[in-house]
Amino acid sequence: MANNTYHPGNLSREKVDRTGHNDYAEGDREVGFASAGLPDDVFGEEENHQIKYKTLAWPIVAVLMITEIVSNGMLSLPSSLDAIGIVPGAIVIAFLGVFATYTAWLLIEFKLRHPEVHNMGDAGYILFGPIGREILGGGTIIFAICGTGSQILAGQLALTVLSDGKLCTLAFAGIFSIAVTICSFPRTLDNLSWLSVAAAASIIVAGIVAMAGAGAVPVDAGNVVIARASDFASAFISITNPVFAYAGHFMFFILISEMKHPQDAMKAAWTLQIVATTFYVVFAVVTYWYIGQGVSSPSLLSLSPLWSKISFGLAIPNFFIAGSLYSHTAAKLVFVRLFRRSRHIHSHTITGWGVWTILILLANVAAFVFAVGIPIFNYLVGITASLFAAWYTYGLAGVFWLHDTYHFKGGYGAWLRRPTMFVISVLTVLAGGFICVGGLYATIYSLREAAEAGELPTPFQC
């Protein structure tokens, strides 16, 4: 196990420097940044600063989590039930929700023991050293940008449906990207939090209205499959839909770092998982039951034209706020990496705002170009989700427990004294690996099939 961890009362200056030090900001280092009560906290003491980050209460963090996770991913869940059957599909969605709650707990416990961790890159340094920081930090940026692009495409589709396709879809993507960019500009999550209240409400209301629309104008009500046998690739693609519908843990460290009381983070996680798991199961089952076999992905396309427009219209606030959170995350990771413990973090400096503006623009422009300019973008999202989200949401949580139990509880003997947690943690790591490998295989297999069938779109298609 890598010995890069923080131990109470024995804080390594070298480790602090490696986690947050940057030569670029050396000349602007703040005096008295850390206090005795906040050993190596990400943002330190903020009382006299212009920009304060640690302002979020746990209910707002729960809303931010719901906005980010309960989004366009849920619209693919009814098609997953169609692929493997309504009973196994509902069981998989419920189980993965419970599993994600467990891994959220492990992640939060890790964050509380390591207050210097701001993102998955910092966690990667503690676990695996400098290489781990670069891989997990880079993966977070890539996944966040792909997530932004996915939301841009969702918004593009929504605007296309609402307008009956009367404007070039590329223009809709551009319009939506501008809205996402504007909303991602605030430096602190507190300034995004109230927008997230509307965004979380919009996706919940959109889902309820969609279920009502499916019931009011059913397509093939009751014509569902209880359990369906299928080949590995098809079945695994269907399973990865709910896996990635829960894939928001990569943002948890950043969210918790901006909480007033990080000890309350698990309350937010409980709220998220109860809402997400319950809503996912109900939405998937009800929609599939009334639409029947052949339900589209996203499922709103299977509704009658009127109900489809209403549902998409209601979901739009969630699409662009969730996209803003993703691009904000990509920019924030780099910004904190550059300026941690410097005055540019907490003060309105030209350098700070200039770099922040450049990072936000780069993240959103990259998301737009990837989304509309790469014909295989949807498959690219699946590949990045398999490579990174499988670990961020599931597999790494087991590594967190193994690492901290080893370092804080007494080495390998501590594992043996906790056989149940040890076995569960090892299985969690293996589950992350299985989802990663299986997801990569299924996505690449589908990409090859689409390419051979000539189904890939052209770049910048109008």
Side-chain angles (χ1 to χ4, degrees):
M1 304 295 290
N3 190 19
N4 301 307
T5 192
Y6 161 70
H7 297 278
N10 186 30
L11 182 61
S12 165
R13 182 72 258 163
E14 177 186 10
K15 187 257 183 186
V16 172
D17 289 343
R18 288 186 180 180
T19 303
H21 174 82
N22 189 278
D23 291 336
Y24 182 75
E26 178 65 27
D28 298 303
R29 186 165 303 286
E30 291 180 320
V31 177
F33 177 81
S35 69
L38 294 167
D40 203 24
D41 179 83
V42 175
F43 297 110
E45 179 57 54
E46 297 188 309
E47 183 176 353
N48 297 317
H49 289 299
Q50 294 174 325
I51 301 174
K52 296 179 175 63
Y53 293 87
K54 296 187 294 184
T55 58
L56 299 176
W58 74 262
I60 291 297
V61 173
V63 171
L64 286 163
M65 289 176 173
I66 292 170
T67 297
E68 172 230 345
I69 293 177
V70 184
S71 189
N72 63 341
M74 80 170 191
L75 303 181
S76 65
L77 297 179
S79 65
S80 294
L81 268 58
D82 189 34
I84 61 176
I86 190 170
V87 172
I91 292 173
V92 166
I93 293 171
F95 170 77
L96 289 173
V98 174
F99 192 19
T101 306
Y102 168 72
T103 57
W105 171 68
L106 292 178
L107 184 151
I108 290 168
E109 289 294 305
F110 183 84
K111 166 63 178 175
L112 295 178
R113 282 189 292 265
H114 303 273
E116 74 275 17
V117 169
H118 175 255
N119 53 69
M120 283 291 178
D122 291 343
Y125 175 76
I126 290 174
L127 297 176
F128 309 115
I131 294 177
R133 177 173 61 183
E134 304 306 330
I135 292 175
L136 295 185
T140 299
I141 295 170
I142 293 170
F143 185 63
I145 290 175
C146 286
T148 304
S150 180
Q151 297 292 353
I152 289 172
L153 290 182
Q156 176 194 59
L157 178 60
L159 293 175
T160 301
V161 170
L162 288 170
S163 68
D164 293 319
K166 293 180 180 178
L167 188 65
C168 173
T169 56
L170 191 60
F172 283 136
I175 292 169
F176 209 79
S177 297
I178 292 171
V180 170
T181 302
I182 292 172
C183 288
S184 59
F185 256 108
R187 286 266 290 273
T188 67
L189 286 169
D190 181 58
N191 289 323
L192 277 171
S193 60
W194 296 109
L195 289 174
S196 294
V197 173
S202 77
I203 194 65
I204 298 296
V205 172
I208 293 171
V209 169
M211 288 187 285
V217 187
V219 177
D220 195 7
N223 184 17
V224 299
V225 177
I226 301 301
R228 189 196 300 272
S230 60
D231 60 272
F232 175 81
S234 300
F236 207 90
I237 289 173
S238 301
I239 292 174
T240 55
N241 285 336
V243 166
F244 301 137
Y246 291 107
H249 289 41
F250 77 105
M251 281 183 60
F252 282 11
F253 287 142
I254 292 175
L255 289 168
I256 297 169
S257 294
E258 298 193 28
M259 290 184 69
K260 286 186 291 188
H261 305 292
Q263 298 82 359
D264 292 335
M266 197 58 210
K267 297 177 183 177
W270 273 114
T271 304
L272 160 70
Q273 296 302 150
I274 290 172
V275 171
T277 305
T278 303
F279 194 65
Y280 283 174
V281 172
V282 172
F283 177 80
V285 171
V286 171
T287 302
Y288 180 44
W289 179 265
Y290 283 109
I291 299 299
Q293 296 185 48
V295 60
S296 300
S297 179
S299 59
L300 301 188
L301 293 176
S302 292
L303 300 175
S304 68
L306 175 60
W307 286 102
S308 181
K309 288 181 179 181
I310 295 173
S311 300
F312 269 121
L314 290 169
I316 284 177
N318 175 269
F319 294 161
F320 75 79
I321 297 300
S324 299
L325 285 172
Y326 286 137
S327 58
H328 179 100
T329 296
K332 180 70 72 66
L333 186 153
V334 178
F335 188 79
V336 172
R337 175 80 179 267
L338 287 173
F339 295 124
R340 186 184 294 211
R341 297 193 306 280
S342 82
R343 64 190 180 92
H344 302 298
I345 285 282
H346 288 106
S347 301
H348 294 295
T349 66
I350 294 175
T351 299
W353 275 108
V355 171
W356 177 253
T357 300
I358 291 171
L359 291 173
I360 287 293
L361 292 176
L362 285 175
N364 285 287
V365 168
F368 171 76
V369 172
F370 286 178
V372 301
I374 300 178
I376 63 169
F377 177 73
N378 285 328
Y379 299 96
L380 182 62
V381 172
I383 290 171
T384 57
S386 299
L387 281 174
F388 300 112
W391 293 106
Y392 296 154
T393 305
Y394 298 106
L396 278 177
V399 182
F400 292 156
W401 186 89
L402 292 170
H403 174 276
D404 278 6
T405 301
Y406 175 88
H407 284 287
F408 288 87
K409 302 295 183 180
Y412 296 111
W415 294 351
L416 300 178
R417 290 192 296 271
R418 299 164 177 82
T420 301
M421 280 298 298
F422 175 72
V423 171
I424 294 174
S425 296
V426 171
L427 291 176
T428 299
V429 177
L430 294 176
F434 175 72
I435 294 169
C436 175
V437 174
L440 281 173
Y441 170 81
T443 304
I444 294 172
Y445 176 86
S446 298
L447 173 58
R448 188 188 67 183
E449 293 287 305
E452 291 177 352
E455 297 175 349
L456 295 179
T458 57
F460 301 101
Q461 183 176 6
C462 186

